[in-house]
């Protein structure tokens, strides 16, 4: 059953085999959860929102046109629901007002401790979690979901060039942080 | 020598450069120690991002979703039955009125039995029926019909509101 394509599973669900929807849930739950966790910066909220997303997707499955990929369609639901949750909490406005550099500025004692440990892997992973919503979403979809910039632009309803700018900007800021904390000597 | 921009280095990592541009960049990288260092750090960032942590949902996540899906289906089915029953009530009321109307016109015109025997006469009957209907639609009869319809609408509206309230309660239970 796990070898079925997304389209085959959707067809089966549409024919009335509702339990097959669990296959789609299992296939996308962790990746979508990672995206929401990075957007909302809260694992419990992310799980609640993800439940809503899967229910929304199930209820709208009849209207799903098979011209698009299910993953793109589903991630659009996840991304928009995440944004709605954020706008309700006014966090989105805060994120948009501040720059990516502000988000990745080393401020807390914890950050300094990680930086001083000279473990660049741990350091980068800790900084990724602090990325602003749209940058974190692009990074998550590009690296974790192996989506192309075109697919990400469809999900986020923005231009491909905008997605590339956010992707490059994230890498560059992380690169600058590595240079700032003199990791470059160890890396080269 | 011009320093390579971050954008070019990013495109180089993503394999977006081709042909003469790619050869030019490779040449530049060969000659510039600084660019090579910048590229190496960017590649490290790229590798680290590729190992991005995958968060795991709780173990019972799928089963709880499927439970909600099944409950949701029940609510939808219940709503459909309700709409169908309200619609049926209206149809029945309309049928009662139409039957009453036909019965009343039949008593006005005794030739109704011959209509059943002769299809040609049926058309004449329809035409003849229109004028008795006009007679039927007196102020008194109109108020009776209006009363029946109003009653139906009030009862239907009340049941519909109750159903919406129930649906909301069911949905809030789901969440």
């Amino acid at each position: 059953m796990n070898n079925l394509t997304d389209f085959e599973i959707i067809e089966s669900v549409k024919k009335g085999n509702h339990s097959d929807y669990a296959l789609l849930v299992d296939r996308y739950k962790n990746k979508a959860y990672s995206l929401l966790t990075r957007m909302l910066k809260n694992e419990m909220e992310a799980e609640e929102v993800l439940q809503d997303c899967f229910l929304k997707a199930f209820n709208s499955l009849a209207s799903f046109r098979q011209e698009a990929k299910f993953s793109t369609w589903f991630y659009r639901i996840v991304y928009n629901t995440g944004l709605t949750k954020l706008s309700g909490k006014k966090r989105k406005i805060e994120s948009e007002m501040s720059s990516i550099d502000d988000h990745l500025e080393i401020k807390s004692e914890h950050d300094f401790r990680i930086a001083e440990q000279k473990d660049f892997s741990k350091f980068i992973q800790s900084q990724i979690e602090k990325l602003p919503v749209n940058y974190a979403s692009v990074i998550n979809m590009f690296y974790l979901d192996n989506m192309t910039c075109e697919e990400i632009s469809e999900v986020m309803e923005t231009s491909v060039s905008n997605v590339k700018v956010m992707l490059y900007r994230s890498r560059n800021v992380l690169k600058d942080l590595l240079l700032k904390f003199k990791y470059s000597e160890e890396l080269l | 020598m011009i320093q390579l921009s971050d954008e070019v280095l990013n495109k180089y990592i993503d394999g977006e450069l081709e042909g003469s541009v790619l050869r030019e960049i490779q040449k530049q990288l060969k000659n510039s120690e600084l660019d090579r260092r910048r590229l190496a750090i960017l590649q490290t960032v790229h590798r680290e991002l590729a190992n991005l942590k995958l968060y795991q949902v709780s173990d019972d996540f799928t089963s709880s979703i499927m439970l909600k899906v099944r409950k949701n289906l029940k609510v939808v089915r219940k709503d459909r039955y309700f709409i169908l029953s309200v619609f049926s009530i209206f149809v029945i009321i309309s049928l009662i009125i139409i039957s009453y109307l036909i019965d009343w016109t039949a008593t006005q015109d005794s030739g109704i039995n011959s209509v059943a025997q002769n299809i040609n006469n049926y058309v004449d009957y329809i035409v003849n029926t229109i004028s008795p209907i006009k007679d039927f639609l007196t102020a008194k009869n109109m108020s009776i019909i209006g009363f029946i319809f109003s009653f139906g609408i009030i009862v239907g509206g009340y049941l519909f509101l109750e159903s919406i309230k129930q649906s909301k309660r069911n949905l809030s239970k789901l969440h």
Side-chain angles (χ1 to χ4, degrees), chain A residues 18 26 29-30 33-34 38 47 51-52 59 121 125 128-129 143 168 171-172 175 179 185 188, chain B residues 6 10-11 14 16 37 40-41 46 48-49 53 55-58 62 64 66 68 72-73 175:
Chain A
H18 298 126
D26 281 335
K29 62 183 181 184
N30 288 330
Y33 179 56
S34 301
R38 291 198 167 93
E47 194 162 322
Q51 289 197 353
D52 286 345
N59 291 333
S121 180
Q125 293 294 336
I128 291 165
E129 304 306 325
Y143 285 103
Y168 297 165
R171 283 181 193 159
N172 293 338
K175 178 203 75 178
L179 285 171
E185 299 303 319
L188 300 170
Chain B
D6 282 340
N10 272 296
K11 282 185 177 172
D14 288 341
E16 286 186 19
R37 286 169 75 95
I41 298 168
H46 178 63
E48 282 303 319
L49 288 171
K53 183 187 168 189
Y55 287 91
Q56 305 277 334
V57 291
S58 54
T62 307
S64 81
M66 292 314 291
K68 286 180 179 182
N72 204 16
L73 281 170
H175 299 292

Side-chain angles (χ1 to χ4, degrees), chain B:
Chain B
M1 192 175 280
I2 306 160
Q3 192 180 311
L4 292 173
S5 70
D6 282 340
E7 192 187 349
V8 170
L9 290 177
N10 272 296
K11 282 185 177 172
Y12 181 81
I13 288 171
D14 288 341
E16 286 186 19
L17 303 175
E18 290 173 336
S20 59
V21 181
L22 180 63
R23 279 194 294 276
E24 190 62 37
I25 302 301
Q26 283 169 336
K27 197 176 155 191
Q28 168 97 4
L29 284 168
K30 209 174 176 181
N31 297 329
S32 167
E33 167 76 20
L34 180 67
D35 283 338
R36 277 205 303 276
R37 286 169 75 95
R38 287 172 57 232
L39 177 69
I41 298 168
L42 261 182
Q43 279 173 327
T44 304
V45 170
H46 178 63
R47 274 196 301 275
E48 282 303 319
L49 288 171
N51 292 325
L52 206 58
K53 183 187 168 189
L54 180 69
Y55 287 91
Q56 305 277 334
V57 291
S58 54
D59 294 338
D60 62 341
F61 183 82
T62 307
S63 54
S64 81
I65 287 285
M66 292 314 291
L67 192 71
K68 286 180 179 182
V69 162
R70 277 189 283 273
K71 279 184 182 174
N72 204 16
L73 281 170
K74 271 185 194 171
V75 171
V76 171
R77 220 169 286 155
K78 214 173 166 185
D79 283 353
R80 274 189 199 152
Y81 286 140
F82 172 75
I83 291 166
L84 198 69
S85 53
V86 169
F87 180 73
S88 306
I89 289 169
F90 272 103
V91 170
I92 289 165
I93 289 171
S94 306
L95 283 174
I96 289 168
I97 291 167
I98 290 164
S99 330
Y100 178 63
L101 202 69
I102 290 170
D103 182 56
W104 187 82
T105 49
T107 53
Q108 295 289 312
D109 182 6
S110 58
I112 189 166
N113 291 331
S114 62
V115 171
Q117 294 157 2
N118 193 334
I119 293 169
N120 289 331
N121 288 345
Y122 185 74
V123 177
D124 295 336
Y125 167 72
I126 296 293
V127 174
N128 292 334
T129 305
I130 294 167
S131 56
I133 286 173
K134 279 180 191 168
D135 299 336
F136 175 79
L137 296 174
T138 58
K140 190 187 168 190
N141 288 343
M142 284 291 281
S143 49
I144 292 169
I145 294 168
F147 174 75
I148 293 168
F149 263 110
S150 309
F151 184 72
I153 288 165
I154 290 165
V155 171
Y158 172 75
L159 291 173
F160 185 63
L161 281 174
E162 281 300 311
S163 154
I164 288 171
K165 278 185 200 169
Q166 187 60 40
S167 300
K168 279 183 181 171
R169 275 198 291 271
N170 289 338
L171 282 174
S172 63
K173 272 182 206 168
L174 280 177
H175 299 292

Side-chain angles (χ1 to χ4, degrees), chain A residues 79-127:
Chain A
Y79 181 71
N80 288 332
T81 312
L83 284 186
T84 308
K85 180 79 180 174
L86 278 174
S87 64
K89 300 180 85 177
K90 308 268 182 202
R91 272 197 231 155
K92 190 188 162 206
I93 301 160
E94 287 166 24
S95 323
E96 283 177 350
M97 281 169 72
S98 56
S99 71
I100 182 172
D101 305 81
D102 295 336
H103 279 264
L104 294 182
E105 202 182 334
I106 306 295
K107 287 173 186 167
S108 71
E109 204 179 307
H110 177 70
D111 290 332
F112 275 110
R113 264 209 306 276
I114 293 174
E116 279 168 9
Q117 281 173 5
K118 297 288 175 192
D119 181 348
F120 67 86
S121 180
K122 202 174 172 184
F123 178 74
I124 289 179
Q125 293 294 336
S126 72
Q127 295 306 305

Side-chain angles (χ1 to χ4, degrees), chain A residues 127-187:
Chain A
Q127 295 306 305
I128 291 165
E129 304 306 325
K130 291 159 76 181
L131 286 168
V133 177
N134 40 3
Y135 289 82
S137 306
V138 170
I139 290 290
N140 200 89
M141 285 187 267
F142 188 83
Y143 285 103
L144 210 55
D145 305 303
N146 296 318
M147 289 169 84
T148 62
C149 289
E150 286 75 15
E151 286 170 334
I152 298 170
S153 73
E154 270 183 57
V155 171
M156 296 177 74
E157 289 169 339
T158 185
S159 65
V160 177
S161 57
N162 213 2
V163 170
K164 282 184 182 174
V165 165
M166 284 191 270
L167 181 65
Y168 297 165
R169 188 91 187 91
S170 306
R171 283 181 193 159
N172 293 338
V173 172
L174 289 168
K175 178 203 75 178
D176 292 342
L177 275 174
L178 284 181
L179 285 171
K180 187 178 170 184
F181 283 89
K182 298 187 173 57
Y183 278 109
S184 56
E185 299 303 319
E186 290 147 51
L187 295 172

